[in-house]
Amino acid sequence: MLGNYCYDGGCILNPIYLSEITEEKIIKLLDDNIVSIGADIEYQILGDTQHFNFIFYLKPRCVGKDKVNISYFGYPFTYPCTFNIDNECKMPKDVCLLTESDITNKRKEVLLKYWLPYQSIMVNMIKKLTNQDFHQRFLNELEQEMVNCYRFIGRYIYNSRADFETINDVQEKMQLYGELFPSVLNQALEEFTEEVMEGQSR
């Protein structure tokens, strides 16, 4: 049986059972649409300075997602795992993974530590695949998530089917990200406003 996480996104692959982590092997998995590069991101605010810690890993490809997928907004924007088929995980058998049902906070912490020796490889891969450093890629992905938030709220209000609890949840997340990344939120608002204006002019 699948863990709940399989319906919201891909889990974390366990590098121990990949036998070796090389750029060539990662490229093969990426090109075969098996995995994406994901990230666990923690931040601290010390005084007036933001400190971010990225740990990159491989995860099963999510529906509609690209080879690099390091931003995760969460509900209501869920992207099911591609290998979630008939309530069973259909990941290739030679790729061992850890499902959400197996992940406790402690276990996840240990699993992420397994990926620490491969961070330079992952950073190089993100640069090669996107022509951006990982921080800029994260900001670009986050901006698109913010645009999706504006679309989501606008669609509910426009259709008079407002789920205020969900809208409030989305707005709280947007406020958090807006405080951390005000320029990203402003850019997303500009992009969404342009979409609305173009739609009204048709």
Side-chain angles (χ1 to χ4, degrees), residues 70-73 136-149 173 177-178 180-181 184-185 188:
I70 59 178
S71 175
Y72 179 75
F73 188 85
Q136 187 59 49
R137 172 66 182 198
F138 167 72
L139 293 178
N140 287 352
E141 289 187 20
L142 182 61
E143 179 184 326
Q144 190 55 53
E145 295 286 1
M146 295 298 99
V147 172
N148 288 338
C149 287
K173 289 180 181 178
Y177 284 119
L180 294 172
F181 309 101
V184 173
L185 188 64

Side-chain angles (χ1 to χ4, degrees), residues 1-12 60 72 78-90 97-104:
M1 293 291 288
L2 299 176
N4 291 332
Y5 198 61
C6 303
Y7 301 98
D8 297 333
C11 63
I12 303 174
Y72 179 75
T78 57
Y79 305 95
C81 177
T82 303
F83 300 94
N84 173 3
I85 302 172
D86 297 328
N87 203 34
E88 299 235 356
C89 179
K90 299 298 183 182
L97 66 158
L98 194 65
T99 64
E100 176 66 10
S101 59
D102 295 325
I103 294 180
T104 62

